Amino acid sequence: MCGISGIIGKNENKVEKYFQKMINSMNHRGPDYSSKYSYKNVHMGHNRLSIIDTSDRGNQPFENSDGILSFNGEIYNYKKLKRKYLKDIEFNSTSDTEVLFHMLNVMGVEVAIKLLKGMFAFSYFDKRSSRLYLCRDKLGIKPLFWTENKDSVGWSSEIKGLLEVFNPEIDHLRTIFSYAAYPDAYRNQTLFKNISILEPGTFIEIDKHFKIITREYYSVLDDLDIDYYHELKSMSTSKIEKYFDNLLNESVQSMLMSDVPFGSFVSGGLDSNLITSIAKNYNNDLKLFSSNVIGQHSEIEYAKFLSKEIGLELFISNFDRADFFENFAKCTYHYEVPILCHPNSIPFSKISSLAMEQ
């Protein structure tokens, strides 16, 4: 998890004055390095959590004569993209960020973004066309918020980054109704006036005249393929099972990209146990973490069973009612909406603290 932020403004001096506040508000997202880069009226910031290429060569924002990039996420197919499309590029790091940077410089956003497999949110400024792009992954796994006023457009991985500069008002009516509408599942709205969530599978283009265009580059309907459906339907059960097994293994393996130790959160349920068991085949140094929600709904015995079966150490975080109330305010601060749809984020927060200690 990293943090990205930025402003593109009509008044360069006014923007510069407040920008550092945006970066400072998200230091918790990137404890390893924090930096900013300014070019004319464009200012990009980055808070880095080092995962791939932990050297300072992976520090952001990335910049050259073509563009500027501030990126949060992981590009799972970055090595394949590098081999196929960037053979003539001289790289300074082994990071997926630099691969993305050159893809954007060489191909442009509209072409490059459709080739990416991963979870991401990034801002990219094309110096050649003076266009800014704000982009989010197909499923909206990584967050990206944005807003505008008469002077500038701002974006940030968290709403609090925008609060530091743009001072938006709370939407009181939306806030009241949020307690019955699962605000943590909103697709494009927030509880603040004029602050929006960039929708999954879309990017925003802002030209030098501050004209803003939102473009959808992916819809789940794009994956509907009647010929592929009939091809699968014609397969035998055993062949389908083998095909699915290969797809699942390839997917899990592609996500085990890290230059730092790996951990897996396991609930004891089918999905986390299955994925962790597969991951163990490719990384035998995994550590397991599970929340023991004390009471009749505890599933910790299933997590212990998994730990024993695959021979990996399990770290347990006990969680009770007192923990819920003790951590509720802190989690709401980071969640930035009332926690209704995903109250399990509170025990997740406690597990994350345990994982940091290992």
Side-chain angles (χ1 to χ4, degrees), residues 58-329:
N59 291 339
Q60 300 183 50
F62 273 37
E63 182 273 338
N64 64 12
S65 59
D66 294 327
I68 315 167
L69 171 68
S70 184
F71 166 71
N72 171 34
E74 296 181 30
I75 307 299
Y76 302 133
N77 62 333
Y78 77 103
K79 291 182 179 180
K80 292 181 179 179
L81 294 174
K82 184 177 181 179
R83 289 193 299 267
K84 185 173 182 179
Y85 298 107
L86 304 173
K87 296 178 181 179
D88 299 326
I89 300 293
E90 183 177 346
F91 283 80
N92 296 315
S93 74
T94 58
S95 70
D96 56 339
T97 304
E98 188 175 6
V99 172
L100 172 61
F101 182 54
H102 290 301
M103 290 283 290
L104 296 171
N105 288 339
V106 172
M107 298 180 173
V109 171
E110 293 190 46
V111 174
I113 199 168
K114 294 180 180 180
L115 299 173
L116 305 179
K117 293 183 180 179
M119 52 180 182
F120 56 81
F122 65 84
S123 57
Y124 172 75
F125 182 74
D126 189 327
K127 292 182 179 180
R128 297 157 297 187
S129 65
S130 296
R131 282 182 167 83
L132 173 74
Y133 297 88
L134 306 178
C135 310
R136 197 174 181 205
D137 63 70
K138 292 179 179 180
L139 300 181
I141 300 173
K142 292 297 183 181
L144 187 57
F145 301 90
W146 71 285
T147 188
E148 63 174 315
N149 58 26
K150 63 180 182 179
D151 296 314
S152 55
V153 174
W155 63 94
S156 177
S157 293
E158 297 184 10
I159 293 175
K160 58 182 67 65
L162 299 174
L163 299 181
E164 294 291 339
V165 179
F166 290 88
N167 299 313
E169 298 179 42
I170 285 280
D171 188 319
H172 296 288
L173 187 61
R174 190 180 296 166
T175 301
I176 291 172
F177 280 103
S178 71
Y179 282 93
Y182 294 118
D184 38 353
Y186 284 170
R187 184 176 174 87
N188 55 17
Q189 297 179 337
T190 72
L191 301 185
F192 293 86
K193 295 180 179 179
N194 299 326
I195 293 184
S196 301
I197 307 171
L198 183 59
E199 291 197 25
T202 64
F203 66 84
I204 289 175
E205 177 185 331
I206 305 171
D207 67 17
K208 60 184 177 181
H209 303 296
F210 270 69
K211 181 181 179 181
I212 301 174
I213 302 174
T214 301
R215 303 184 188 277
E216 181 182 78
Y217 71 88
Y218 171 80
S219 166
V220 68
L221 297 178
D222 295 339
D223 289 331
L224 294 178
D225 186 332
I226 191 66
D227 293 329
Y228 183 51
Y229 168 78
H230 286 300
E231 179 184 348
L232 295 177
K233 189 177 180 181
S234 66
M235 292 182 184
S236 64
T237 301
S238 60
K239 193 171 182 179
I240 281 287
E241 290 174 351
K242 184 177 181 179
Y243 182 64
F244 176 76
D245 183 66
N246 289 337
L247 285 177
L248 185 56
N249 271 267
E250 288 175 7
S251 179
V252 172
Q253 184 181 18
S254 71
M255 297 180 191
L256 296 174
M257 41 181 283
S258 175
D259 294 327
V260 296
F262 236 98
S264 179
F265 288 6
V266 293
S267 65
L270 178 62
D271 50 355
S272 64
N273 285 6
L274 177 60
I275 291 171
T276 302
S277 297
I278 295 173
K280 196 255 185 182
N281 294 329
Y282 304 103
N283 186 332
N284 201 38
D285 295 325
L286 282 174
K287 292 182 179 179
L288 310 184
F289 299 89
S290 187
S291 177
N292 178 23
V293 181
I294 297 172
Q296 61 178 328
H297 299 298
S298 174
E299 298 180 343
I300 196 62
E301 293 305 317
Y302 299 107
K304 290 180 178 178
F305 177 80
L306 171 69
S307 172
K308 182 179 179 180
E309 284 294 306
I310 64 177
L312 295 178
E313 187 175 7
L314 175 66
F315 297 86
I316 299 173
S317 169
N318 291 319
F319 189 87
D320 58 20
R321 292 182 180 181
D323 290 309
F324 183 89
F325 291 107
E326 181 180 340
N327 292 279
F328 184 82

